Amino acid sequence: MVVTNNSPKHYHNLLRTINTFDSKNQVWQGSLDTLAFDEIGIQSKLLNLHKPCYIVRIKEKIGVSNNGYWSHSKNGKTEEIELLIAVPPLTSQQLGDANFLSFHNVKYAYTAGAMAHGIASEELVIALGKEGILSSFGAGGLAPARVETAINRIQQALPQGPYAFNLLHSPSEPAIERRVVDLYLKYQVRTIEASAFLDLTENIVYYRAAGLSLNSVNQIAINNKVIAKISRREVATKFLQPAPTKILKQLVQQGLISELQANLAEKVPVADDVTVEADSGGHTDNRPLVCLLSSILELRDNIQRKYDYEQPVRIGAGGGIATPQSALAAFIMGAGYVVTGSINQSCIEAGTSQHTKQLLAQAEMADVMMTPAADMFEMGVKVQVLKRGTFFPLRAQKLFDLYKSYESIEDIPLAERDKLEKQVFQKSLDAVWQETVAYLSQRNPVKLAQASNNPKLKMALIFRWYLGLSSRWSNSGEPGREMDYQIWCGPAMGSFNDWVRGSYLEVPSNRKVVDVAHHIMTGAAFLYRIQSLKFQGLQMPDNYSQYFPSEMKV
C-alpha cells in the first residue's frame, strides 16, 4: 500500500515529493516500537482507520505509526524524528451525512435499494438490518398478500429496525399502489423507498401526511419517512417541496388525514432523503452520476433557501455504486449516503436463482443493454438488463418491433407468429391469451375489458405475458427457460466483479450482503486516507493504494 522497498532509489523519490512541504519544525514523539518499516507492518498501520496515521522520517528511513503525537521542534537536535505527514482517524461510520445515521438509526450511510419481485428479499433485508444497515424490501410487482407476508416476517425479525419497504409507482394499477400504502399504514412501516414516480400521487402524499404530528415541545414529528429515488430534476423538485395543497385537501375531504396533518404537510418536504439514481439496472435514464448528483445537490440547496426546512433533505447516490472507489467518489461529491442495487442480486440472500447469480458473477461492464419494459411496454419505456447468457433482450426487442409494425396479432405474418410460438412463448398464442385473461380477471379486470375491443392492446398484453414472466423465471430458476431470463442489471455489476476478482468474494456462494456493504464502506474510508496522504505529498506505488477484500471473521 505504501512504499516498502527501502532501497535508496525509492526513498529518494518519496523524499523529493515530501520535501516540497515545510516539515522542519514538526517532530514526532512516541515509542520507536510502534513504527513500521516493512510491507506488512505499514499495511496494518494504514488499515487501522480508528487511529491516526503518522508518516515519519528517522535516519533517512520512512516509517508509519498509529501512536504517539506531534509537536514543534524545540532544540533542532538531529536525533529528533521528523514528522512528515499526519492524518486523523477516519472510520467508515464517518462517511456521508451524520444526520442520515441518526435519523434512520443505522451504522453506515449506506443502503441496499429495493429490487422488484422480492429480489431484495426478506433474507437480505433482515441480514443487513441485524447489522444496523438499512435496506428496502423489493415489494414492486408483488401481490399485496405477498407484501403483507414480508412485512410480518421482517418486523418479527427486526422489531426495532432498521428496514424499509419499496413503494413502486403503478400508473396502470393505482388500486394496487393504494392497497400497498394501506398495508404500510396498517402495520406501521415507518420507512418507504418511493421509486418510478413521474409525479406525486395521492397515495404517496397520504402515506407521508398520515405520519405527521406535533411532539411534546410543539415540533413537527415525522413518523412516516420517505426515501425518494429519482433521476430527473423535475421529479426531484416535487419530492423536495411540500405536498401539493390540492392533494392534501382531497385527503382531508376523504377523511384519510386530519386538518392538522394537512397543515403540517405544507411545512415539510415530501421526502426526507432523495436518492439520485444514475446508470442503474432496471428502469433507468442512464444518467452519468457526476453530472446528475451535482445538479440535484444544487437544486436541493436552492429549494432549501426558499423553504428553510429545519432539516435539509439529504441527497444520496445510486446507480454505479459497486466498489470503494465509486462510493468514495460519491461521498466526496457531496452525497449524504450511497445506495447499491445490481451487486446485491448476486449475493446469497437475494431472491434470485443460482443460475442467475452465476451469470451475474461472470458479467463484465459491457454485458448490459436496454430492452423494452414489461410495465410500460406500450410507451416504449426500457429497462437495463444483462445480455450475457440470455436471449431475453433480443427477443423482447423483437416483440416491441412487431408491436410497432402491426395493429393486431392477426396482422402479424403467419411465419413470424409461428416463430413466436416456438422460440419465444413455447406455447400457442391462444394459450398465452387465456392465461392473460385469467391473470387480469383477478388483478385488473378494467384493462381486460378494454382489450376486448382493442386488438392493439390485446397484442400488447400477450407480449407483456412474456416480458412479465421472464423476470420471475430468473428469480425462481425456471428449468428450460434459462435463455429467457430477464435479469435487471447495470454496469456496476461488472465493476464489482473486476474489483473482487481473486478474492473470496469472486465466488457467488461467498457473497453475503453484509460483507459487501462492510468492504465497500471500509474500503472507501481507507482510500480516503490514502488520498489524503497523497495530497500531502506522499508517493506510493499504485498497488499499495488499493483495498482488497479479505474474508471477514465471524
Side-chain angles (χ1 to χ4, degrees):
M1 294 180 180
V2 161
V3 170
T4 57
N5 187 328
N6 290 342
S7 69
K9 178 180 178 181
H10 282 277
Y11 277 122
H12 175 70
N13 290 337
L14 182 62
L15 292 173
R16 184 173 58 187
T17 302
I18 290 176
N19 282 338
T20 62
F21 295 85
D22 182 12
S23 60
K24 294 179 180 179
N25 294 321
Q26 296 180 6
V27 296
W28 176 81
Q29 303 284 344
S31 171
L32 296 179
D33 293 338
T34 67
L35 287 171
F37 298 95
D38 63 292
E39 179 175 347
I40 295 178
I42 289 177
Q43 194 174 48
S44 176
K45 303 295 184 185
L46 288 172
L47 278 169
N48 193 351
L49 300 173
H50 289 81
K51 290 189 176 183
C53 184
Y54 301 103
I55 310 297
V56 303
R57 175 165 52 199
I58 176 172
K59 296 178 181 179
E60 297 307 312
K61 292 178 63 179
I62 303 299
V64 182
S65 177
N66 296 129
N67 302 95
Y69 60 95
W70 71 272
S71 65
H72 291 287
S73 176
K74 294 182 179 180
N75 51 29
K77 292 182 179 180
T78 57
E79 67 268 26
E80 288 182 334
I81 302 176
E82 185 180 2
L83 174 66
L84 302 175
I85 302 173
V87 292
L90 178 74
T91 65
S92 50
Q93 286 85 354
Q94 293 173 260
L95 297 173
D97 192 326
N99 289 320
F100 183 88
L101 274 63
S102 58
F103 186 75
H104 294 287
N105 191 28
V106 293
K107 179 168 65 175
Y108 295 143
Y110 174 107
T111 76
M115 293 172 284
H117 293 175
I119 294 175
S121 64
E122 293 100 317
E123 291 83 0
L124 186 148
V125 174
I126 293 170
L128 288 167
K130 286 185 175 179
E131 293 298 319
I133 303 171
L134 182 65
S135 60
S136 179
F137 176 77
L142 298 180
R146 172 69 179 87
V147 176
E148 186 171 21
T149 299
I151 293 173
N152 288 324
R153 183 177 174 190
I154 290 173
Q155 288 186 335
Q156 183 177 7
L158 301 171
Q160 305 302 319
Y163 62 84
F165 274 75
N166 181 231
L167 178 63
L168 182 68
H169 179 42
S170 304
S172 61
E173 296 179 312
I176 296 293
E177 187 178 309
R178 170 53 65 86
R179 287 172 64 188
V180 172
V181 167
D182 289 340
L183 282 174
Y184 293 161
L185 294 174
K186 174 183 176 181
Y187 288 98
Q188 297 185 5
V189 172
R190 293 307 189 189
T191 306
I192 66 166
E193 182 187 44
S195 58
F197 281 81
L198 301 176
D199 199 351
L200 295 179
T201 66
E202 186 178 275
N203 298 321
I204 183 66
V205 175
Y206 174 33
Y207 174 84
R208 179 62 162 178
L212 298 176
S213 62
L214 291 174
N215 61 20
S216 58
V217 292
N218 212 36
Q219 295 176 326
I220 299 177
I222 298 175
N223 297 307
N224 292 344
K225 305 171 184 177
V226 174
I227 302 172
K229 189 183 294 182
I230 60 90
S231 59
R232 302 185 182 188
R233 280 177 66 98
E234 63 270 21
V235 179
T237 300
K238 299 177 187 298
F239 282 98
L240 289 166
Q241 293 179 335
T245 301
K246 180 180 178 180
I247 296 180
L248 293 171
K249 287 182 177 180
Q250 292 172 350
L251 293 171
V252 172
Q253 292 171 356
Q254 296 172 43
L256 296 174
I257 64 173
S258 66
E259 288 279 1
L260 174 62
Q261 288 172 325
N263 292 333
L264 296 178
E266 293 184 322
K267 297 179 174 63
V268 297
V270 174
D272 306 289
D273 303 278
V274 169
T275 300
V276 172
E277 184 180 20
D279 194 9
S280 64
H283 287 289
T284 179
D285 288 326
N286 305 111
R287 301 290 178 87
L289 183 63
V290 292
C291 300
L292 185 60
L293 179 59
S294 58
S295 176
I296 302 302
L297 284 168
E298 181 266 341
L299 176 66
R300 185 274 310 273
D301 293 343
N302 289 340
I303 293 177
Q304 173 63 23
R305 283 191 287 270
K306 177 180 179 180
Y307 291 100
D308 193 26
Y309 300 127
E310 182 177 344
Q311 175 57 58
V313 178
R314 293 169 293 270
I315 306 298
I321 305 299
T323 64
Q325 289 89 342
S326 56
L328 179 59
F331 286 128
I332 292 297
M333 286 181 62
Y337 59 97
V338 294
V339 181
T340 55
S342 296
I343 63 176
N344 298 321
Q345 290 186 99
S346 66
C347 293
I348 60 176
E349 299 91 348
T352 53
S353 65
Q354 290 302 315
H355 181 81
T356 293
K357 290 172 183 175
Q358 190 65 45
L359 290 178
L360 288 166
Q362 298 169 356
E364 302 286 346
M365 280 188 285
D367 289 338
V368 295
M369 67 178 293
M370 301 299 294
T371 196
D375 54 348
M376 297 184 232
F377 175 77
E378 299 95 316
M379 299 167 60
V381 174
K382 294 190 174 185
V383 292
Q384 189 159 220
V385 299
L386 185 69
K387 66 180 180 180
R388 180 172 183 160
T390 172
F391 289 145
F392 169 79
L394 298 178
R395 289 174 173 173
Q397 185 59 49
K398 178 64 175 180
L399 292 178
F400 186 70
D401 292 342
L402 292 172
Y403 174 76
K404 289 194 302 180
S405 302
Y406 301 100
E407 294 303 311
S408 70
I409 284 290
E410 290 73 23
D411 289 343
I412 299 174
L414 187 59
E416 288 288 353
R417 288 162 57 186
D418 187 58
K419 287 181 182 179
L420 290 180
E421 292 181 332
K422 292 180 179 179
Q423 297 177 7
V424 180
F425 296 106
Q426 295 186 18
K427 61 177 62 182
S428 70
L429 292 171
D430 288 338
V432 171
W433 175 242
Q434 292 306 313
E435 290 186 20
T436 302
V437 169
Y439 175 78
L440 291 177
S441 296
Q442 299 296 319
R443 189 175 178 99
N444 197 337
V446 174
K447 177 79 71 175
L448 180 60
Q450 294 172 342
S452 62
N453 297 313
N454 187 334
K456 185 86 167 179
L457 176 58
K458 178 181 177 181
M459 176 171 56
L461 293 176
I462 289 175
F463 290 169
R464 285 172 65 175
W465 174 93
Y466 172 78
L467 299 174
L469 285 179
S470 56
S471 58
R472 298 179 186 179
W473 293 333
S474 170
N475 295 347
S476 64
E478 183 73 17
R481 281 292 192 174
E482 289 83 1
M483 299 309 295
D484 293 295
Y485 285 4
Q486 178 181 181
I487 305 169
W488 300 311
C489 181
M493 192 70 251
S495 180
F496 178 84
N497 289 335
D498 289 340
W499 170 48
V500 301
R501 189 168 292 115
S503 77
Y504 82 106
L505 289 178
E506 181 177 4
V507 182
S509 59
N510 289 337
R511 294 184 180 182
K512 299 179 180 179
V513 286
V514 171
D515 286 22
V516 169
H518 168 79
H519 284 304
I520 287 178
M521 292 298 289
T522 301
F526 168 76
L527 292 176
Y528 184 90
R529 166 168 283 186
I530 294 299
Q531 291 303 318
S532 297
L533 291 170
K534 286 184 176 181
F535 290 154
Q536 295 184 64
L538 184 65
Q539 285 187 337
M540 62 188 80
D542 291 340
N543 61 303
Y544 290 128
S545 306
Q546 299 171 358
Y547 178 85
F548 195 66
S550 57
E551 193 162 3
M552 294 178 62
K553 297 179 180 179
V554 179

